């Protein structure tokens, strides 16, 4: 059999296809069994196997064991799997041609059926199985073992999301990470090289060093962050993308205020790799397993329940009454069933975490009429690309068996740009979707903005209210909701469901119940520890939250005993304090830190660590160096002056005075109790402790 690179005639292609399919199905069968299944002689099979192995399509390994007939085991390489896929398409196309010819011969007319390209689309209606990139279970077991010899790429969280949807058909028709030609087409005009519509670059970004270590044609193992192999990729393309161009064309502006542009420039690797992927196994999810479905699982579910029309609702936010009303209406209008399809992969930084959201969705699900609605979680990494993202979401939902898709105002909007303006117009997403709707293959249901009409005690679409001037229209924005949650204020029943509000309150308790960090900084002997101790006692007297003191000396004894006072060691010491404080804050406690922390940049880094979870209050204990030296409680300044202690802050080492702390306290002629009280007042004014 000729190598697949050389031109093969249809017969040879058929033979190769049958061989690859058989090996994929029964990788451990004896040669006799395989030959029988293929209806060829043993000698012929051997020749075919040799050809396929030489072409790098099949790996043949020896098996130990008593049965001589099962001496060999076979596994498709990623190239073999890709070839099999290509040949399947060709095989089907040829069979259709043969059918057309037969039809013409028998009836004297053409079959009247559309060309193959469209015919397969017909076959793949929303309920037929969709192609996946996974090999059979047996082949995957073999590939796993063989992949031990491959160079590995450890996928980033975003790449894991992308790979999952590539492998399970969610990104159909993609067969792997984009090649350079496909990438250019997608960036420039939303089209793959073969002309099909695809709006989002799905690229494997890697470091320059890793890219340089590879050769084109090489297979690499794609592993998750624990090193578990998920798939392999044959690297066919490697290039340095023009990221600014990508940002302009795909996201509308080269502006790092856009989360995906920021990712592109500051997190993504410099080089892109492209090539077909062979799926070995799905990424493992331990949470909400019963709620996660592949496109084929959802299609099978719809088939089983007889759901012919399904409208999908994409969301990255908790659902409130307005959303429930809107989705219910959309389903009614389309006479379809409803799929709540929230994204749980990666959403916009700062969103409510998906654990909380899913608990909220579960609560809302009970509010729909029974058996009309279901929910499934989508492990998508969103890009917040507005119009292009809407088209992408539509294609993904089509792949998941849906016939309709709700597109709202400002769909997948990234917020404001660096000039404070919206990146996209509110209806750009709907416009672009409408333009490509036929090609996407899913019908858009455009979002009606629902508001509450007090007099009629019901939700209505704003553009359908005829008596706007005579009724009271109520609405609560996302910002207002966050404010009410953080201040523990009432959230009315007309706005949300009590179960949803109670879930949100658990995750976003009012500020007076959230964790926070008070970070004292100042010279040695400035009074940091004394004030910190007094503050701790006052907070413990109030009760409510656990308080932990991370004093400079305590930390140096328990966390950083091996560290000295070089810049590097001081930074490490402060970052450790920051890490512990951020964990305490995350878990609702109060951390009081009192190191010197002389470097502004390190203090800023700690602030960033903590502020993900709660407030950070920097308190500069502004005792002058002269006063500290005069007090010299520990006798260290004297030793520092004598040169017996090196790198002593304020004497022989720098201290960056905080430019903009939340609070600055003077300790000269002010007693400790008063200093601690100033901090308490500051905390009260920030809403972190309830007034006494
Ligand atoms: S740092 O810079 O934030 O890591 O320092 P910190 O962990 O707060 O430790 C400061 C305490 O260590 C003692 N000490 C020194 N301080 C500054 N410079 C040098 N070279 C030094 N050597 C020892 C000093 O007692 C500091 O205690 P505090 O509590 O600040 O008085």
């Amino acid at each position: 059999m000729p190598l697949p690179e050389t031109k093969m005639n249809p017969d040879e292609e058929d033979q190769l296809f049958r061989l690859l399919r058989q090996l994929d199905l029964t990788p451990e069968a004896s040669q006799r069994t395989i030959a029988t299944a293929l209806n060829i002689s043993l000698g012929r099979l051997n020749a075919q196997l040799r050809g396929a192995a030489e072409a790098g399509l099949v790996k043949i390994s020896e098996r130990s064991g008593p049965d001589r007939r099962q001496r060999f085991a076979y596994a498709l390489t990623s190239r073999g799997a890709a070839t099999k896929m290509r040949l399947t398409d060709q095989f089907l196309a040829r069979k259709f041609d043969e059918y057309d010819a037969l039809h013409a011969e028998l009836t004297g007319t053409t079959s009247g059926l559309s060309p193959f390209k469209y015919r397969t689309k017909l076959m793949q209606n929303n309920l037929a199985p969709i192609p996946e990139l996974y090999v059979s279970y047996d082949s995957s077991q073999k590939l796993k073992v063989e992949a031990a010899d491959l160079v590995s790429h450890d996928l980033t969280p975003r790449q894991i999301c992308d790979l999952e949807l590539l492998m399970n058909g969610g990104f159909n028709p993609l067969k792997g990470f984009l090649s350079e030609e496909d990438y250019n087409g997608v960036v420039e005009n939303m089209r793959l090289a073969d002309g099909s519509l695809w709006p989002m670059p799905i690229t494997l970004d890697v470091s320059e060093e890793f890219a340089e270590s590879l050769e084109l044609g090489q297979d690499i193992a794609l592993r998750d962050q624990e090193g578990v192999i998920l798939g392999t990729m044959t690297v066919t393309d490697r290039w340095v993308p023009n990221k600014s161009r990508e940002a302009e064309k795909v996201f509308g502006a080269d502006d790092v205020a856009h989360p995906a542009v920021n990712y592109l420039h500051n997190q993504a690797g410099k080089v892109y790799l492209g090539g077909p992927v062979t799926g070995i196994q799905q990424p493992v999810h331990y949470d909400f397993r019963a709620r996660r479905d592949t496109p084929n699982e959802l299609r099978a579910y719809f088939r089983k329940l007889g759901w012919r029309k399904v409208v999908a609702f994409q969301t990255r936010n908790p659902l409130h009454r307005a959303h429930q009303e809107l989705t219910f209406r959309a389903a009614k209008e389309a006479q379809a069933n409803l799929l709540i399809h929230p994204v749980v992969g990666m959403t916009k930084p700062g969103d409510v975490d998906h654990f909380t959201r899913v608990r909220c969705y579960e609560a809302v699900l009970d509010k729909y009429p029974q058996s009309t609605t279901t929910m499934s979680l989508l492990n998508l990494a969103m890009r917040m690309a507005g119009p292009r993202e809407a088209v992408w979401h539509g294609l993904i939902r089509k792949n998941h068996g849906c016939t309709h898709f709700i597109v709202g105002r400002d769909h997948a909007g990234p917020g404001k740009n660096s000039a404070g303006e919206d990146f996209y117009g509110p209806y750009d997403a709907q416009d672009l979707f409408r333009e490509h709707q036929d090609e996407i293959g899913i019908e858009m249901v455009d979002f009606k903005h629902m508001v509450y009409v007090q007099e009629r005690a019901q939700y209505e679409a704003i553009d359908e209210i005829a008596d706007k001037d005579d009724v009271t229209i109520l609405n609560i924005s996302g910002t207002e909701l966050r404010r009410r949650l953080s201040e523990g204020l009432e959230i009315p029943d007309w706005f949300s469901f009590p179960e949803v509000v109670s879930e949100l309150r658990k995750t976003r308790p009012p500020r007076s119940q959230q964790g926070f960090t008070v970070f004292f900084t100042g010279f040695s002997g400035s009074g940091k520890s004394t004030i910190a101790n007094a503050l701790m006692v006052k907070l413990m007297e109030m009760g409510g939250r656990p308080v932990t003191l991370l004093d400079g000396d305590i930390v140096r004894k328990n966390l950083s005993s091996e560290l000295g006072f070089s810049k590097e060691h001081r930074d490490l010491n402060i970052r450790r304090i920051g890490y512990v404080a951020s964990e305490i804050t995350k878990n609702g406690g109060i951390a009081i830190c009192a190191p010197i922390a002389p470097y502004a940049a390190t203090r800023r880094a700690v602030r960033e660590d903590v502020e993900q979870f709660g407030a950070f209050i920097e308190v500069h204990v502004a005792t002058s160096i002269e006063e500290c030296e005069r007090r010299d409680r520990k006798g260290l300044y004297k030793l520092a002056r004598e040169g017996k202690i090196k790198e002593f802050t304020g004497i022989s080492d720098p201290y960056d005075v905080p430019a903009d702390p939340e609070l600055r306290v003077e300790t000269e002629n002010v007693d400790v109790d008063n200093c601690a009280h100033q901090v308490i007042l500051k905390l009260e004014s920030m809403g972190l402790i309830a007034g006494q």
Side-chain angles (χ1 to χ4, degrees):
M1 195 183 315
L3 303 185
E5 277 76 16
T6 57
K7 191 93 189 98
M8 287 188 285
N9 66 38
D11 269 354
E12 288 165 341
E13 284 186 340
D14 276 1
Q15 281 169 27
L16 179 59
F17 167 67
R18 286 176 210 275
L19 176 72
L20 294 178
R21 189 187 54 176
Q22 194 58 42
L23 295 181
D24 196 25
L25 286 174
T26 57
E28 298 197 345
S30 69
Q31 290 204 345
R32 182 164 304 282
T33 314
I34 300 174
T36 312
L38 294 174
N39 201 16
I40 55 175
S41 69
L42 268 176
R44 184 103 182 261
L45 173 67
N46 259 310
Q48 288 190 3
L49 282 171
R50 239 191 338 270
E54 277 164 17
L57 305 175
V58 174
K59 252 194 160 167
I60 305 176
S61 48
E62 289 229 29
R63 303 173 65 208
S64 51
D67 191 344
R68 294 276 303 149
R69 284 167 306 177
Q70 293 187 349
R71 199 146 46 106
F72 298 110
Y74 312 92
L76 300 196
T77 60
S78 12
R79 186 183 300 176
T83 306
K84 185 183 138 225
M85 222 134 41
R86 180 175 57 78
L87 291 176
T88 309
D89 284 350
Q90 284 184 16
F91 181 79
L92 279 174
R94 242 192 350 269
K95 288 291 162 205
F96 275 124
D97 284 346
E98 282 170 26
Y99 169 79
D100 284 338
L102 186 64
H103 191 279
E105 194 183 317
L106 293 176
T107 63
T109 61
T110 55
S111 72
L113 294 177
S114 44
F116 169 71
K117 199 167 103 186
Y118 303 110
R119 189 121 28 108
T120 46
K121 289 234 170 71
L122 277 183
M123 285 173 60
Q124 290 173 12
N125 64 33
N126 70 309
L127 299 180
I130 198 167
E132 298 183 350
L133 305 184
Y134 292 112
V135 288
S136 70
Y137 175 76
D138 285 339
S139 293
S140 73
Q141 297 306 101
K142 305 218 126 321
L143 270 181
K144 251 191 228 177
V145 176
E146 284 166 18
D149 299 334
L150 298 180
V151 172
S152 289
H153 170 65
D154 293 336
L155 298 155
T156 62
R158 179 156 114 178
Q159 291 168 348
I160 293 177
C161 291
D162 286 354
L163 181 64
E164 178 170 346
L165 284 158
L166 278 172
M167 294 192 300
N168 71 18
F171 286 170
N172 185 51
L174 302 192
K175 300 282 183 250
F177 287 97
L178 294 189
S179 67
E180 186 174 2
E181 199 188 358
D182 281 336
Y183 166 81
N184 288 332
V186 168
V187 169
E188 294 305 321
N189 55 21
M190 306 208 305
R191 294 204 177 267
L192 299 170
D194 70 3
S196 18
L197 181 73
W198 189 264
M200 198 57 64
I202 305 297
T203 49
L204 189 71
D205 60 282
V206 298
S207 68
E208 282 167 307
E209 305 82 70
F210 181 73
E212 273 160 23
S213 74
L214 301 174
E215 279 178 27
L216 290 186
Q218 183 174 342
D219 285 352
I220 58 170
L222 304 175
R223 297 181 184 274
D224 72 8
Q225 301 200 313
E226 273 82 49
V228 176
I229 184 156
L230 303 178
T232 62
M233 181 176 108
T234 307
V235 181
T236 56
D237 291 60
R238 170 181 49 197
W239 73 103
V240 177
N242 180 343
K243 290 190 177 178
S244 295
R245 177 86 184 158
E246 179 178 332
E248 287 283 352
K249 296 292 290 184
V250 179
F251 305 111
D254 191 10
D255 179 346
V256 288
H258 191 299
V261 176
N262 182 42
Y263 184 95
L264 189 62
H265 286 303
N266 297 322
Q267 272 178 271
K270 285 211 163 67
V271 184
Y272 287 174
L273 302 177
V277 160
T278 302
I280 293 181
Q281 60 189 333
Q282 310 195 46
V284 183
H285 300 289
Y286 296 106
D287 55 335
F288 308 113
R289 292 174 79 115
R291 287 285 187 198
R292 294 175 184 267
D293 305 280
T294 65
N296 279 330
E297 283 167 345
L298 267 188
R299 285 170 173 239
Y301 179 79
F302 299 153
R303 270 201 310 270
K304 186 168 171 184
L305 296 190
W307 289 11
R308 295 174 59 79
K309 286 206 237 166
V310 181
V311 49
F313 182 61
Q314 134 86 33
T315 181
R316 44 170 263 269
N317 285 312
L319 298 188
H320 302 293
R321 284 189 197 271
H323 303 103
Q324 198 266 341
E325 193 67 37
L326 147 91
T327 49
F328 181 56
R329 279 188 182 213
K332 252 196 332 201
E333 263 170 43
Q335 296 188 4
N337 290 89
L338 178 64
L339 170 70
I340 308 289
H341 209 197
V343 171
V344 294
M346 294 170 76
T347 60
K348 197 172 155 196
D351 280 349
V352 176
D353 68 89
H354 81 267
F355 298 103
T356 306
R357 283 192 286 119
V358 176
R359 288 195 297 270
C360 293
Y361 302 139
E362 299 271 7
V364 177
L365 219 50
D366 291 343
K367 317 291 173 198
Y368 292 93
Q370 257 195 346
S371 347
T372 60
T373 303
T374 192
M375 174 181 62
S376 179
L377 308 180
L378 181 65
N379 198 41
L380 173 72
M382 288 181 72
R383 308 320 204 233
M384 310 309 300
R388 277 197 186 223
E389 181 116 0
V391 172
W392 187 39
H393 286 177
L395 288 164
I396 295 168
R397 271 38 183 243
K398 197 260 308 268
N399 289 334
H400 281 79
C402 303
T403 51
H404 294 71
F405 182 57
I406 301 175
V407 181
R409 188 183 178 280
D410 195 25
H411 186 98
K416 307 269 183 219
N417 63 19
S418 353
E421 289 150 10
D422 287 334
F423 274 94
Y424 315 116
Y427 296 103
D428 289 1
Q430 291 185 353
D431 293 345
L432 193 71
F433 199 107
R434 202 169 287 113
E435 201 181 307
H436 297 283
Q437 176 160 289
D438 289 346
E439 236 181 317
I440 301 171
I442 191 166
E443 203 172 306
M444 174 168 74
V445 180
D446 45 11
F447 184 95
K448 319 269 178 306
H449 184 50
M450 306 296 293
V451 288
Y452 187 72
V453 181
Q454 195 173 31
E455 284 74 6
R456 292 193 278 273
Q458 65 182 14
Y459 275 89
E460 295 178 19
I462 187 127
D463 49 356
E464 288 168 15
I465 304 175
D467 51 354
K468 270 196 199 76
D469 296 337
D470 308 325
V471 290
T472 321
I473 292 175
L474 299 176
N475 194 20
I476 292 184
S477 69
T479 318
E480 173 62 10
L481 174 66
R482 278 191 291 278
R483 187 188 75 84
R484 289 188 186 210
L485 282 171
S486 81
E487 292 178 22
L489 300 174
E490 194 224 340
I491 294 165
D493 237 25
W494 62 260
F495 176 74
S496 195
F497 304 98
E499 300 92 324
V500 172
V501 174
S502 125
E503 277 303 334
L504 291 177
R505 284 206 198 279
K506 277 188 225 154
T507 331
R508 299 236 165 139
R511 288 199 111 197
S512 63
Q513 287 166 28
Q514 282 173 18
F516 64 87
T517 293
V518 180
F519 192 94
F520 290 97
T521 166
F523 292 118
S524 169
S526 57
K528 303 183 298 289
S529 309
T530 326
I531 305 171
N533 266 294
L535 176 67
M536 176 173 72
V537 172
K538 282 179 186 292
L539 289 171
M540 287 170 87
E541 185 188 353
M542 289 175 190
R545 280 170 288 195
V547 189
T548 309
L549 178 61
L550 298 165
D551 185 39
D553 282 339
I554 303 175
V555 170
R556 286 222 168 238
K557 193 161 149 234
N558 296 300
L559 270 183
S560 296
S561 56
E562 85 287 17
L563 299 182
F565 289 88
S566 63
K567 173 162 192 322
E568 193 192 352
H569 278 194
R570 285 180 197 260
D571 282 352
L572 206 50
N573 181 40
I574 301 305
R575 293 305 297 259
R576 286 178 189 171
I577 295 176
Y579 171 72
V580 177
S582 71
E583 286 292 307
I584 292 171
T585 305
K586 178 170 85 184
N587 292 307
I590 301 174
I592 305 176
C593 314
I596 297 177
Y599 298 107
T602 324
R603 293 194 298 258
R604 192 169 51 238
V606 172
R607 177 186 287 277
E608 281 165 15
D609 287 348
V610 171
E611 281 185 342
Q612 301 171 55
F613 306 113
F616 181 82
I617 303 95
E618 185 174 345
V619 182
H620 177 210
V621 182
T623 319
S624 66
I625 188 74
E626 294 76 20
E627 175 65 12
C628 293
E629 190 167 1
R630 198 185 54 72
R631 293 179 191 165
D632 203 6
R633 292 233 168 77
K634 298 182 189 164
L636 296 176
Y637 282 92
K638 182 168 174 291
L639 295 174
R641 285 286 179 206
E642 291 167 5
K644 291 183 183 150
I645 304 181
K646 306 268 179 271
E647 301 174 311
F648 198 87
T649 308
I651 304 294
S652 45
D653 222 45
Y655 178 80
D656 302 339
V657 174
D660 201 12
E662 273 71 12
L663 183 67
R664 209 184 297 277
V665 289
E666 306 291 341
T667 63
E668 289 158 54
N669 307 319
V670 186
D671 69 16
V672 175
D673 193 69
N674 183 279
C675 293
H677 194 65
Q678 288 181 45
V679 182
I680 294 280
L681 290 177
K682 183 74 200 172
L683 297 176
E684 263 184 14
S685 75
M686 293 172 76
L688 291 165
I689 46 182
Q692 296 294 301

